[in-house]
DNA sequence: GTCTATAGGTAGATAGAC
DNA sequence: GTCTATCTACCTATAGAC
């Protein structure tokens, strides 16, 4: 291996930066804040990252390193496009919950990411994920099981923001001891029912996966 | 009248600040940026606002001054809870589109707003609006026309973020000359269909309002 | 790889002339 | 009400000892 052991400090920096970016935003978080949360001096951050932007880039890399394979696997789920769509929702929700701060940080800084050339890799990764959703939905529309008066991009956006809300809310639910699985089930029911073609409705679909 | 004519400069400041906050975030926008966009010197901002927070507060006030009466009227729409829900979606979408930057700025700075005591009035206004959604949805569930396995808060969040996406996307659609009304219709169809009680479905509901 | 010290720039906000 | 000039504090980033 060329990377025998990544320095634990670097990982800790990315971890605390994710949380701070999620809670206070990129511009609302200073290198001093990150250093203090990581238990080192501000100057030491520059032994691990060339600059602040590169920390956000690392946050995104860590996120997509988990999200991309999960979505990829879900998009190849056996069954019809409806099964694959449910698998995608389950996978994205689970990864989003397990990487809550990274998810929130990236969603909250979407405009900044699109605007900053150095963060272009994150845009690429995001587009690759979105393509999986689009294709699954498009196939569902072609097969007649999904309504075709909603463009795949709009359906994807609707699902994605719903998951973002779940990720957010999930934190509070976890604190209150409420198993969030029921919420995922409800989300799937509402969205997939709503997106289904009116002629093919048979009732509330069962929960798939997590 | 105690306020015979609000200085046009103050309104211009709020207007450009809305756009800057929406595009770059609160912390990503400096008083210098706002002053430059408003065509004045930074120091002159302080003749209209005590500080930066108060500009964000004014952005929120302007937003809710339109949103609150619109939702209020929609929630008293004649007909059943389903009609009122469609009226709420139409009203919120229209106001959100007409106050795009204010909407995006407030949504993007939700955490900051909740955290900052000086911005508490915005939290109160937001809660008042949310209460209208909750009540309408709760009545719909009691009447059996809306599925009751989704708590009103989750349904409200789902609708709200969908509208936020529409407000965002609406800008691009407008630029491309695509009438966004069709999108609102599709949004209503998907969400209301999905939220409907499975036993009461009769097909895609018609577009209401705008 | 972490530290102290600090550079160079920008932030929000103020003083006071006009 | 707008301006010029400026204050103080904080920002990202660097230099160089250990």
């Amino acid at each position: 291996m060329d990377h025998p052991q990544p320095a634990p400090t670097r990982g800790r920096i990315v971890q605390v930066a994710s949380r701070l970016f999620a809670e206070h935003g990129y511009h609302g978080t200073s290198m001093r804040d990150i250093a203090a949360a990581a238990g080192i001096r501000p100057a030491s951050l520059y032994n691990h990252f060339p600059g602040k932007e590169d920390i956000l880039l690392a946050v995104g890399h860590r996120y997509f390193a988990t999200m991309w394979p999960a979505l990829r696997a879900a998009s190849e789920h056996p069954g019809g496009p409806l099964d694959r769509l449910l698998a995608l929702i389950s996978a994205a929700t689970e990864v989003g919950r397990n990487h809550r701060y990274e998810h929130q940080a990236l969603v909250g800084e979407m405009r900044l990411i699109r605007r900053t050339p150095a963060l272009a890799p994150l845009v690429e990764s995001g587009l690759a994920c979105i393509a999986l959703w689009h294709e699954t939905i498009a196939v569902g529309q072609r097969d007649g099981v999904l309504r075709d008066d909603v463009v795949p991009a709009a359906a994807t956006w609707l699902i994605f923001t719903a998951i973002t809300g779940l990720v957010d809310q999930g934190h509070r639910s976890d604190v209150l001891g409420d198993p969030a699985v029921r919420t995922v089930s409800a989300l799937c029911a509402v969205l997939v029912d709503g997106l289904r073609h009116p002629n093919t409705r048979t009732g509330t679909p069962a929960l798939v996966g997590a």
Side-chain angles (χ1 to χ4, degrees), chain A:
Chain A
M1 306 279 192
D2 284 334
H3 306 285
Q5 270 286 37
T9 301
R10 194 192 140 101
R12 201 171 62 249
I13 292 170
V14 177
Q15 196 171 17
V16 301
S18 298
R19 182 174 55 79
L20 291 171
F21 288 160
E23 290 176 352
H24 303 282
Y26 178 80
H27 291 298
T29 303
S30 69
M31 294 297 266
R32 284 169 161 82
D33 294 332
I34 297 171
I40 58 177
R41 305 267 98 185
S44 300
L45 292 172
Y46 294 88
N47 290 318
H48 302 276
F49 300 94
K52 192 183 179 184
E53 280 181 354
D54 303 272
I55 299 182
L56 181 55
L57 187 62
V59 169
H61 274 144
R62 174 174 290 195
Y63 178 75
F64 286 115
T66 305
M67 181 61 88
W68 167 249
L71 292 182
R72 183 93 180 160
S75 74
E76 291 162 355
H77 195 273
L82 210 59
D83 301 297
R84 285 199 291 278
L85 186 58
L86 286 165
L88 279 172
I89 295 176
S90 289
T93 304
E94 188 183 336
V95 174
R97 280 232 229 87
N98 292 338
H99 298 256
R100 196 166 65 237
Y101 295 129
E102 295 159 21
H103 183 99
Q104 291 174 0
L106 294 176
V107 170
E109 301 300 338
M110 244 185 217
R111 282 183 171 80
L112 175 68
I113 291 169
R114 274 193 285 232
R115 200 190 310 132
T116 308
L119 301 176
L122 300 186
V123 178
E124 271 189 68
S125 298
L127 288 176
C129 291
I130 289 173
L132 294 177
W133 291 93
H134 284 193
E135 192 181 331
T136 300
I137 292 169
V139 170
Q141 292 178 333
R142 208 180 311 139
D143 288 8
V145 296
L146 291 180
R147 64 191 313 152
D148 56 2
D149 59 345
V150 177
V151 294
T156 300
W157 203 94
L158 194 59
I159 294 170
F160 183 75
T161 56
I163 291 173
T164 299
L166 219 67
V167 168
D168 227 337
Q169 199 171 3
H171 180 49
R172 285 174 266 181
S173 296
D174 288 345
V175 170
L176 296 173
D178 180 37
V181 156
R182 265 192 306 144
T183 317
V184 181
S185 170
L187 172 72
C188 289
V190 171
L191 284 181
V192 179
D193 246 29
L195 289 172
R196 254 185 182 170
H197 193 287
N199 294 338
T200 69
R201 294 230 175 80
T202 58
T204 304
L207 174 63
V208 168

